[in-house]
Amino acid sequence: MKALVTGGAGFIGSHLVDRLVNQGIEVVVVDDLSMGNIKNIKNRNLVTIYVEDVCNEQFMQRLLKQEKFDYIYFLAAVASVADSIDRPSETHEINHNAVLQTLEFIRVSKLKIKQFLFTSSAAVYGNLPDLPKKETSCVDPISPYAIDKYATERYVLAYDALYNIPTVCVRFFNVYGPGQNPTSPYSGVLSILTDCLKNNKLFTLFGDGLQTRDFIYVEDVIQALWLITESDAHRQVFNVANGREITLNDIIQTYEKIAGHKLSICKETGRDGEVKRSLANIDKLTSLGYSAKWSLKKGLSEYWKGV
Ligand code: UD2
């Protein structure tokens, strides 16, 4: 079996690559290293890595034709709502066009794949009041990032329905854990919190801290992705989350206890285009055999131990 992981040197991608290698799958990574790092991949000596942009159509076409992948995990993305608001056109190239180009090449070249997995986001749900979010809940994408993710989901599912290319979409909620890069202002809040607590830096809290998120430890995300692969699911959307909601204020308090000291905080107004509350219904994932192995406390403690 052979798998392509785009974004495979990134935070989630590198954990996935390690798991696939352990499953005995031959893995090829395409990553432009804009956020990723080859050192994130533990098994890098067993993996073929191309430092390339997924928007490079010629490169991607050559690779797809040559390697004939069984599985494609499309994780490469600019994973930030705020960044997409600053650079809507550039992020659209990566978050939408690159995926579509890949699927289109698979279609016209009649490549046979077992599963194409697209990583979407909880951002598609927007700010509609019903909670928890089910995969069938109404969506209301309110940022360029969310619009791209939702539009791409629809294409991905249509390529299955219209052209028989087996595809699935996963909607990631807030993923955290070792390897998440804290250096960008758009990095995940828990990587920034870790960096601030460790290095006594000032943490900027956007808004009142009452916004909630459904945080999932990266190892649980990998468990979910592998279950989805094994299930041969197709033309489906899955929430990937913990199924628990926590305010930013509460998570800061929890993390301060684990770290054993207080965080220095400065407050700023809330960021545009953000959702206030986020919580997933994970029944669909659970029906595949998923059960979260990492509570927030356990995940944060493990993350803290490793830094
Ligand atoms: C996450 C994902 C995004 C998308 C979205 C779905 C990351 C990095 N982003 O965006 O890709 O899937 O979920 O809803 O995982 N915050 C601070 N200070 C900081 C950084 C963040 O207060 O220095 C706040 C931020 O304003 C937000 C919360 O923390 O209210 C979480 O921010 P985030 O950037 O980690 O994730 P989110 O939910 O915006």
Side-chain angles (χ1 to χ4, degrees):
M1 290 292 169
K2 202 185 268 189
L4 169 65
V5 182
T6 71
F11 163 46
I12 304 171
S14 58
H15 286 269
L16 175 65
V17 169
D18 286 332
R19 174 64 186 263
L20 295 174
V21 170
N22 289 336
Q23 292 295 142
I25 293 175
E26 194 182 332
V27 183
V28 175
V29 165
V30 176
D31 197 305
D32 68 354
L33 304 184
S34 53
M35 282 296 278
N37 188 326
I38 289 172
K39 287 190 190 136
N40 285 340
I41 306 171
K42 288 198 196 90
N43 291 310
R44 55 189 172 276
N45 55 328
L46 300 174
V47 176
T48 307
I49 301 169
Y50 294 99
V51 179
E52 264 297 346
D53 184 341
V54 285
C55 296
N56 181 342
E57 209 173 342
Q58 264 189 358
F59 165 78
M60 287 297 285
Q61 292 186 352
R62 228 182 304 125
L63 184 73
L64 290 163
K65 206 165 187 168
Q66 175 189 306
E67 298 285 352
K68 307 212 168 7
F69 297 107
D70 298 290
Y71 299 105
I72 297 176
Y73 298 89
F74 210 105
L75 275 74
V78 179
S80 166
V81 171
D83 199 5
S84 81
I85 292 173
D86 290 343
R87 303 185 296 141
S89 176
E90 281 163 87
T91 55
H92 176 72
E93 286 302 313
I94 301 157
N95 292 346
H96 180 78
N97 284 345
V99 183
L100 187 53
Q101 280 164 10
T102 303
L103 280 170
E104 183 55 7
F105 187 72
I106 292 169
R107 179 179 82 87
V108 296
S109 307
K110 299 189 170 55
L111 299 178
K112 289 271 166 266
I113 56 165
K114 291 190 169 26
Q115 194 181 63
F116 181 100
L117 184 145
F118 169 64
T119 51
S120 180
S121 160
V124 302
Y125 294 116
N127 261 323
L128 296 175
D130 62 306
L131 284 171
K133 298 299 180 190
K134 291 184 81 160
E135 291 84 352
T136 49
S137 296
C138 286
V139 297
D140 182 23
I142 53 177
S143 61
Y145 175 77
I147 295 164
D148 275 336
K149 286 293 185 187
Y150 189 63
T152 310
E153 273 189 17
R154 301 312 302 176
Y155 269 103
V156 165
L157 298 173
Y159 268 73
D160 187 318
L162 300 173
Y163 311 122
N164 270 320
I165 299 170
T167 63
V168 281
C169 301
V170 291
R171 291 179 180 162
F172 285 156
F173 282 65
N174 288 68
V175 186
Y176 72 100
Q180 193 167 23
N181 179 347
T183 56
S184 150
Y186 308 120
S187 296
V189 68
L190 282 177
S191 67
I192 296 175
L193 275 173
T194 306
D195 185 41
C196 290
L197 277 168
K198 189 176 170 232
N199 301 308
N200 290 317
K201 292 184 187 165
L202 190 63
F203 175 74
T204 307
L205 173 65
F206 297 113
D208 55 12
L210 295 176
Q211 62 268 50
T212 68
R213 296 292 184 267
D214 187 335
F215 287 98
I216 175 169
Y217 192 62
V218 65
E219 283 303 323
D220 279 334
V221 171
I222 304 310
Q223 180 204 158
L225 295 183
W226 184 246
L227 282 169
I228 291 168
T229 295
E230 274 190 314
S231 74
D232 285 329
H234 72 105
R235 217 183 300 169
Q236 300 281 336
V237 178
F238 293 91
N239 284 339
V240 174
N242 213 341
R244 285 170 196 274
E245 183 183 26
I246 183 164
T247 66
L248 198 48
N249 287 335
D250 284 346
I251 212 165
I252 290 171
Q253 270 192 10
T254 309
Y255 214 1
E256 282 177 333
K257 275 191 201 138
I258 290 168
H261 63 271
K262 285 270 173 202
L263 180 73
S264 316
I265 299 175
C266 73
K267 291 197 175 183
E268 275 199 26
T269 47
R271 295 201 292 211
D272 286 341
E274 272 205 358
V275 299
K276 182 76 183 170
R277 289 182 64 191
S278 182
L279 172 65
N281 173 309
I282 53 167
D283 288 352
K284 201 167 168 188
L285 193 58
T286 307
S287 74
L288 297 183
Y290 172 82
S291 86
K293 305 268 186 295
W294 296 83
S295 67
L296 196 53
K297 227 170 145 185
K298 188 175 157 201
L300 281 178
S301 304
E302 184 72 13
Y303 190 9
W304 183 249
K305 255 197 310 196
V307 292

